[in-house]
């Protein structure tokens, strides 16, 4: 007799490629991702699929010759130690964010070692990941989640390594619903590949000219990465709220640029974080990590909500993806006389 298998696919665009792979692994639902004919799958996306193949058992991928249709059949996440060399079209954080999603699927110890490019402006900076996103995960899952990073002295492209430790078998803690507008402490971290980085006093002058931080725990840190073969400047602004949540925003340049432009960037980031976030009692950015983890923790809770200043096209597509995978539906409630939206489960 002939056995006929009928496979049900959810079809998606390439938006939020990493999040779709994660949600597929989490729900065990097969997906089909459609790329445009003019822009097929990227090398860094293929590299991410290679990482998924290493860390999962029985995951299968089928990509057509044109690179425009990907069928993904999710397997299960394995335990153990893994090494992966990333594609340098994206920074290490592109892959670290995906692995930080995956840890919530595994029940056993996992250790990931990644080698790749330290910084690109297309991704969060390594500093934001270390000092904002990792503390978020520790708030949710306990302090046993750890990460160690170091930059090589001579390599140009594959210049930074990261080891991500996940202990397994933890209980997920609920997060506070409100990010109150009380700033507890402020940190500005400047990282550079050259000793000619922005002078700390110039940064301080730009920030303090517009904001009075004297009543806060306020410090600036300036680091130089000892590698003469790479070129980057990163400024990362962090602040901790009275709820113990650390929020961050950053900007990275990968070439020598006008320093006045760099100072203007610092001013922009401080506007973004302080004026448009804390003073308005809303999340500083609609962070995919934050939203997905909260959705997984609270997907049966109708009290779940997040306040945001704006929604990008990627944010809207993420909401649609979470709705399809998890069966959660949302409504948007504008706050009168402000430009803040409440995203709420219905």
């Amino acid at each position: 007799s002939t056995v006929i298998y009928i496979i049900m696919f959810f079809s998606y665009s390439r938006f939020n490629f990493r999040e779709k792979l994660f949600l597929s692994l989490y729900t065990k639902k097969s997906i089909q991702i459609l790329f445009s004919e003019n822009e097929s799958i990227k090398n860094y996306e293929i590299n991410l699929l290679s990482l998924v193949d290493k860390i999962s058992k029985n995951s299968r991928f089928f990509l057509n010759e044109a690179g425009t249709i990907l069928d993904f059949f999710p397997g299960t996440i394995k335990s153990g130690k893994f090494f992966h060399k990333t594609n340098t079209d994206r920074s290490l954080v592109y892959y670290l964010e995906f692995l930080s999603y995956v840890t919530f699927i595994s029940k056993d110890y996992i250790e990931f070692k990644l080698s790749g490019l330290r910084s690109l402006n297309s991704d969060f900076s390594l500093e934001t990941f270390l000092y904002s996103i990792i503390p978020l995960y520790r708030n949710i899952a306990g302090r046993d989640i750890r990460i160690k990073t170091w930059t090589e002295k001579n390599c140009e492209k594959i210049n930074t390594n990261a080891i991500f430790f996940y202990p397994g078998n933890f209980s997920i803690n609920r997060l506070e619903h409100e990010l109150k507008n009380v700033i507890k402490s402020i940190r500005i971290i400047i990282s550079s590949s050259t000793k000619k980085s922005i002078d700390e006093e110039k940064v301080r002058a730009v920030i303090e000219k517009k904001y009075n931080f004297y009543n806060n725990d306020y410090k600036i840190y300036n680091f130089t990465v000892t590698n003469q073969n790479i070129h980057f400047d990163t400024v990362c602004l962090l602040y901790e709220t009275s709820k113990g949540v650390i929020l961050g925003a950053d900007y990275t340049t990968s070439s020598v640029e006008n320093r006045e432009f760099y100072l203007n960037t610092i001013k922009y980031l401080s506007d973004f974080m302080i004026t448009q976030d804390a003073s308005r009692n809303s999340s500083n950015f609609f962070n995919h990590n934050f939203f997905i983890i909260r959705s997984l923790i609270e997907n049966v809770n109708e009290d779940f909500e997040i306040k945001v200043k704006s929604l990008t096209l990627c944010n809207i597509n993420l909401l649609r993806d979470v709705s399809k995978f998890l069966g959660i539906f949302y409504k948007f409630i504008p706050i009168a006389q402000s430009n803040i939206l409440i995203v709420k489960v219905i």
Side-chain angles (χ1 to χ4, degrees), residues 105-318:
I105 302 175
S106 175
K107 296 180 180 179
D108 300 308
Y109 174 84
I110 303 179
E111 180 180 314
F112 307 105
K113 180 180 179 182
L114 299 181
S115 294
L117 187 67
R118 179 186 173 93
S119 299
L120 278 177
N121 198 38
S122 56
D123 301 302
F124 284 132
S125 70
L126 189 59
E127 288 76 12
T128 297
F129 185 82
L130 293 176
Y131 302 118
S132 179
I133 297 175
I134 287 295
L136 168 65
Y137 279 87
R138 286 176 172 168
N139 282 341
I140 297 170
R143 302 197 60 82
D144 289 332
I145 292 179
R146 293 174 290 145
I147 185 170
K148 177 182 179 181
T149 65
W150 69 97
T151 298
E152 304 288 352
K153 291 186 177 181
N154 298 314
C155 300
E156 182 176 358
K157 286 288 187 180
I158 307 296
N159 54 51
T160 302
N161 300 288
I163 301 179
F164 190 86
F165 303 90
Y166 166 76
N169 294 322
F170 61 78
S171 58
I172 295 179
N173 303 315
R174 288 177 61 87
L175 291 170
E176 294 285 351
H177 287 287
E178 287 291 328
L179 301 182
K180 296 297 184 181
N181 60 347
V182 178
I183 298 175
K184 181 180 177 181
S185 63
I186 299 167
R187 298 290 183 268
I188 301 173
I189 303 174
I190 304 168
S191 302
S192 177
S193 58
T194 172
K195 293 182 179 179
K196 295 181 181 179
S197 179
I198 288 293
D199 184 83
E200 179 179 323
E201 293 305 316
K202 290 184 179 179
V203 175
R204 190 181 300 276
V206 169
I207 298 299
E208 292 183 353
K209 184 177 180 180
K210 196 162 189 176
Y211 305 106
N212 182 4
F213 291 160
Y214 298 113
N215 295 327
N216 301 107
D217 179 6
Y218 165 50
K219 293 180 181 177
I220 296 178
Y221 299 94
N222 201 335
F223 300 103
T224 301
V225 177
T226 56
N227 184 330
Q228 299 301 315
N229 296 315
I230 59 177
H231 302 283
F232 77 92
D233 289 298
T234 295
V235 57
C236 174
L237 282 79
L238 306 166
Y239 65 84
E240 182 179 0
T241 71
S242 55
K243 291 291 185 180
V245 177
I246 300 175
L247 305 175
D250 60 47
Y251 184 82
T252 296
T253 67
S254 56
S255 61
V256 179
E257 297 188 9
N258 184 285
R259 294 299 177 177
E260 288 302 316
F261 173 76
Y262 189 43
L263 287 172
N264 289 335
T265 300
I266 297 172
K267 190 181 298 182
Y268 163 77
L269 289 175
S270 61
D271 286 346
F272 178 66
M273 290 183 62
I274 308 301
T275 305
Q276 299 180 1
D277 175 67
S279 65
R280 297 181 183 270
N281 193 29
S282 65
S283 301
N284 72 313
F285 47 71
F286 194 61
N287 183 283
H288 288 189
N289 304 63
F290 190 76
F291 180 76
I292 284 181
I293 297 306
R294 288 193 66 172
S295 295
L296 296 183
I297 295 171
E298 307 180 55
N299 58 54
V300 296
N301 189 334
E302 294 184 357
D303 292 332
F304 169 80
E305 67 177 40
I306 294 179
K307 293 180 180 179
V308 297
K309 186 181 189 305
S310 61
L311 292 174
T312 67
L313 185 58
C314 284
N315 298 153
I316 294 170
N317 276 279
L318 179 64

